[in-house]
């Protein structure tokens, strides 16, 4: 029943920030998925192992799952734990990998990128700790794809992935499990569900936009069924293969329906959204948007109010481009503080070693040591728990936070689908200019340092170079520029902008206005327009 299929290396199967992502037709091309999956198994080993499998339900998710199961069986896996319908949110997959003490898992997702026959698909491998494979492992997978000559696959009928229960596929056991139950149980151990039920029973109103993506069933079960939020609190709650045409990225641009409701008349108390695979979150109060960097800082300052974090935090880690707001909280609490490269995989060692409890990225990612991925619904529940204890509005909590710590005005400007050669030329010129920058005055601000961020992992000593250009100014202003590692079309340039206002005055400006000199400096120093022809960003968050 096992067939060995001759194949050839396919160029470009190099995992990026978060697994291998390509246009769906590319993934559906001859041997494309198979080559990459065989490379995964060749690197991590498959015989006798147990893996978790699930995805965000996007187009091709169901068929890819059948192929991956047949290949796992042909490569001698002992057992595959699959979310019903081949669906698992990324944090739920991370939890199942850990809970069942498995050898890792395969997640099918392109996260916040749109899905559909002409949109994006992705595959990523997570380690036995539940976290994304580190760079050394993904690099080995890539190397394997460059020499691959054959893959193994079982000839068999499709599995019934719609029914919970046990099946046999060749020599492999397939356990189809409820994608929500274990995750919801984990959330009950971390948060004060009775207090949250009382909050909703007391008339607290919330809107949760699941963006036709994977979080829908999780949010309906937890918010509406277990916590008693009004039916209909979760909108766009049914996951669809094309996300209903939505761009399932929870930011003010793409979650504009939610933003309009939260800024409008009669807005509910609290709004939230999550992305394609459920690991990102956006949080909005009535009439006030919470930037992800501020969200991380507020969560760090208040996490002890939730039962799962009542003993306090060991440390807080943020990605380098994330604002320094969380650092100020860590300093005040006297706990560990870490600055890592972009991408959740860099938090894994800190979490495993017990050195960081909370982690966050400016890209709408927040999480803790409960899993090894960022976790959208977790962040939303932690906010709810804090609101239930403090009995204040989101706006009041933010105002108090800024009064205590000062405010790190923050914004990210994305320039999408730039021709790769132009973007590369711009970054090369910028990198070459760095040694001459310190001491220069731009827009009235003095540059104090300029470098290309390199990171030495404090746990295993591994070093990652070229993780983004940083230009630092006196007074805490900062510009960071890097090219996206998750895009599938040309290059996406991300420009991260930050300015610190210590207060007590000047804490309530519009971020784009407060950042205006920093924005102008970023355009001047990068010579963005000269190299790319662009003047205005495609997405501002
Ligand atoms: C983006 C975000 C990054 C996040 C990743 C996966 O990566 O910037 O913070 O970890 O998606 O969700 P990028 O496209 O910038 O490489
Ligand atoms: Zn995601």
């Amino acid at each position: 029943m096992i067939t060995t299929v001759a194949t050839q290396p396919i160029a470009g199967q190099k995992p990026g920030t978060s697994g291998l992502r390509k246009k769906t037709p590319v993934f559906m091309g001859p041997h494309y998925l198979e080559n990459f999956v065989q490379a995964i198994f060749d690197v991590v080993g498959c015989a006798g192992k147990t893996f978790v499998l699930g995805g965000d339900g996007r187009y091709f998710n169901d068929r890819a799952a059948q192929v991956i199961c047949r290949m796992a069986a042909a490569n001698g896996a002992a057992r595959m734990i699959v979310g019903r319908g081949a669906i698992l949110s990324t944090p739920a997959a991370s939890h199942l990998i850990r809970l069942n003490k498995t050898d890792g898992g395969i997640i099918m997702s392109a996260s916040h990128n749109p899905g559909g026959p002409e949109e994006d698909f992705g595959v990523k491998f997570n380690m036995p700790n539940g976290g994304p494979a580190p760079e050394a492992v993904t690099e080995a997978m890539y190397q394997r794809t460059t020499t691959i000559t054959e893959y193994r696959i079982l000839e068999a009928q499709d599995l019934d992935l719609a029914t919970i229960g046990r099946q046999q596929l060749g020599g492999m056991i397939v356990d189809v499990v409820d994608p929500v139950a274990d995750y919801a149980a984990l959330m009950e151990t971390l948060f004060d569900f009775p207090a949250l039920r009382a909050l909703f029973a007391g008339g607290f109103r919330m809107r949760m936009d699941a963006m036709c993506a994977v979080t829908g069933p999780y949010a309906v079960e937890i918010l509406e069924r277990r916590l008693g939020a009004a039916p209909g609190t979760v909108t766009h709650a049914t996951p669809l293969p094309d996300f209903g045409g939505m761009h399932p990225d929870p930011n003010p641009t793409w979650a504009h329906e939610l933003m309009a409701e939260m800024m409008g008349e009669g807005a509910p108390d609290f709004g939230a959204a999550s992305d394609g695979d459920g690991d990102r979150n956006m949080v909005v109060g009535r009439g006030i948007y919470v930037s992800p960097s501020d969200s991380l800082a507020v969560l760090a300052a208040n996490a002890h109010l939730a039962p799962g974090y009542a003993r306090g935090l060991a440390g807080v880690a943020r990605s380098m481009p994330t604002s320094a707001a969380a650092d100020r909280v860590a300093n005040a609490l006297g706990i560990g503080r870490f600055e890592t490269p972009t991408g959740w995989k860099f938090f894994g060692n800190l979490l495993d070693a017990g050195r960081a409890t909370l982690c966050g990225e400016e890209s709408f990612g927040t999480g803790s040591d409960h899993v090894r991925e960022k976790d959208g619904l977790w962040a939303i529940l932690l906010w709810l728990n804090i609101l239930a204890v403090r009995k204040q509005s989101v706006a009041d909590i933010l105002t108090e936070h800024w009064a205590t710590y000062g405010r790190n005005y923050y914004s990210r400007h994305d320039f999408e689908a730039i021709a790769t050669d132009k973007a590369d030329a711009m970054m090369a010129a910028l990198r070459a200019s760095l040694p001459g920058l310190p001491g220069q005055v731009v827009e009235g601000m003095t540059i104090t340092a300029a470098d290309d961020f390199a990171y030495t992992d404090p746990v295993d000593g591994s070093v990652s170079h070229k993780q983004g250009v940083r230009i630092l100014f006196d007074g805490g202003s900062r510009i960071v520029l890097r090219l996206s590692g998750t895009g599938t079309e040309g290059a996406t340039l991300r420009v991260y902008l930050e300015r610190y206002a210590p207060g007590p005055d000047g804490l309530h400006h519009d971020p784009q206005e407060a950042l205006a000199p920093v924005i102008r400096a970023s355009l001047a120093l990068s010579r963005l327009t000269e190299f790319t022809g662009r003047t205005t960003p495609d997405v501002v968050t």
Side-chain angles (χ1 to χ4, degrees):
M1 280 196 344
I2 296 174
T3 312
T4 301
V5 181
T7 188
Q8 286 180 345
I10 301 173
Q13 293 200 316
K14 193 175 174 67
T17 312
S18 189
L20 182 65
R21 296 212 186 143
K22 296 290 168 195
K23 288 288 169 205
T24 310
V26 174
F27 249 110
M28 293 177 74
H31 305 317
Y32 199 93
L33 173 69
E34 291 85 347
N35 276 15
F36 188 65
V37 171
Q38 187 64 52
I40 292 176
F41 290 147
D42 287 348
V43 168
V44 302
C46 190
K49 298 207 164 174
T50 296
F51 296 111
V52 167
L53 175 66
D56 60 17
R58 68 181 58 227
Y59 187 85
F60 190 49
N61 184 102
D62 49 355
R63 277 170 287 167
Q66 298 282 354
V67 170
I68 294 169
C69 284
R70 286 205 287 271
M71 289 186 65
N75 280 278
R79 182 175 171 224
M80 189 68 93
I81 301 169
V82 191
R84 183 184 50 222
I87 289 200
L88 284 175
S89 78
T90 292
S94 182
H95 179 51
L96 284 181
I97 291 169
R98 297 164 64 77
L99 183 69
N100 295 288
K101 302 196 167 35
T102 66
D103 300 292
I106 294 178
I107 300 176
M108 300 166 290
S109 169
S111 187
H112 49 286
N113 295 2
E118 302 302 327
E119 300 294 351
D120 289 2
F121 193 77
V123 170
K124 107 176 164 175
F125 184 78
N126 280 30
M127 306 295 280
N129 76 345
E135 268 183 339
V137 176
T138 56
E139 179 60 23
M141 290 169 183
Y142 169 61
Q143 289 305 332
R144 182 71 192 125
T145 66
T146 65
T147 57
I148 192 164
T149 55
E150 59 183 40
Y151 62 82
R152 282 174 291 288
I153 190 160
L154 202 74
E155 301 227 16
Q157 294 299 320
D158 275 0
L159 290 157
D160 171 11
L161 297 181
T163 309
I164 289 172
R166 178 162 285 194
Q167 299 161 62
Q168 194 79 28
L169 181 63
M172 184 175 83
I173 290 167
V174 178
D175 282 319
V176 177
V177 301
D178 182 325
V180 177
D182 288 320
Y183 176 83
L186 175 64
M187 293 302 114
E188 295 223 24
T189 68
L190 299 174
F191 303 114
D192 187 346
F193 273 43
L196 295 181
R197 273 195 287 276
L199 179 75
F200 284 112
F204 183 90
R205 287 191 305 129
M206 171 175 179
R207 170 72 65 222
M208 165 82 209
D209 191 342
M211 303 188 86
C212 300
V214 79
T215 312
Y218 296 84
V220 169
E221 171 64 23
I222 293 173
L223 297 174
E224 297 186 10
R225 294 210 190 96
R226 299 198 186 191
L227 296 177
T233 292
V234 185
T235 51
H236 301 122
T238 305
L240 299 172
D242 66 348
F243 304 122
M246 293 181 89
H247 186 151
D249 198 357
N251 62 42
T253 303
W254 295 116
H256 48 84
E257 266 181 54
L258 175 72
M259 286 302 285
E261 182 175 358
M262 295 307 298
M263 299 302 148
E265 291 274 313
D269 301 285
F270 186 62
S274 61
D275 75 330
D277 61 331
D279 57 357
R280 293 187 175 196
N281 75 92
M282 178 176 78
V283 160
V284 202
R286 182 189 293 131
I288 189 162
Y289 163 70
V290 184
S291 85
S293 293
D294 278 346
S295 179
L296 175 64
V298 169
L299 294 182
N302 294 280
H304 62 278
L305 301 177
Y309 307 93
R311 282 174 305 164
L313 309 176
V316 181
R318 64 166 173 90
S319 68
M320 181 273 283
T322 303
S323 95
D327 299 11
R328 297 179 192 283
V329 175
N331 289 346
L333 293 173
I335 59 174
R337 152 168 90 72
F338 302 92
E339 184 178 24
T340 60
T342 295
W344 208 261
K345 57 179 177 254
F346 292 102
F347 294 133
N349 280 346
L350 295 170
L351 293 166
D352 284 349
R355 296 179 66 172
T357 311
L358 291 202
C359 305
E361 294 193 277
E362 50 63 43
S363 53
F364 300 84
T366 342
S368 86
D369 58 1
H370 68 291
V371 290
R372 291 295 179 275
E373 290 277 6
K374 53 187 179 268
D375 188 344
L377 208 42
W378 168 89
I380 292 160
L381 289 167
L382 181 49
W383 262 98
L384 284 171
N385 203 143
I386 291 165
L387 292 169
V389 174
R390 288 187 53 170
K391 303 191 193 319
Q392 288 172 293
S393 68
V394 172
D396 288 347
I397 287 176
L398 271 182
T399 300
E400 275 187 26
H401 188 92
W402 293 331
T404 306
Y405 299 98
R407 179 170 180 185
N408 289 72
Y409 283 101
Y410 189 83
S411 182
R412 188 178 96 189
H413 290 192
D414 287 343
F415 299 82
E416 295 178 342
I418 302 175
T420 306
D421 55 340
K422 292 182 179 172
D424 288 343
M426 192 207 89
M427 289 302 289
L430 179 63
R431 288 193 159 101
S433 76
L434 294 178
L437 291 185
Q440 281 194 31
V441 180
V442 191
E443 294 288 332
M445 307 177 300
T446 305
I447 298 176
T448 53
D451 68 1
D452 198 345
F453 182 61
Y455 176 68
T456 304
D457 186 300
V459 179
D460 67 14
S462 60
V463 183
S464 302
H465 293 284
K466 295 184 90 169
Q467 297 295 321
V469 167
R470 306 190 285 187
I471 302 170
L472 313 182
F473 301 88
D474 54 358
S477 295
R478 185 179 74 148
I479 300 166
V480 174
L481 296 100
R482 58 179 283 280
L483 297 180
S484 157
T486 58
T488 55
E489 225 176 310
T492 293
L493 172 69
R494 304 200 193 285
V495 184
Y496 309 82
L497 307 144
E498 180 172 357
R499 206 198 102 196
Y500 180 61
D505 300 322
L507 296 176
H508 292 274
H509 293 301
D510 172 80
Q512 299 306 317
E513 284 167 23
L515 290 165
V518 185
I519 295 169
R520 285 194 298 271
S522 74
L523 292 170
L525 290 166
S526 65
R527 294 154 66 197
L528 173 74
T529 307
E530 184 186 322
F531 276 98
T532 69
R534 304 294 179 87
T535 50
T536 47
D538 301 289
V539 178
V540 172
T541 53

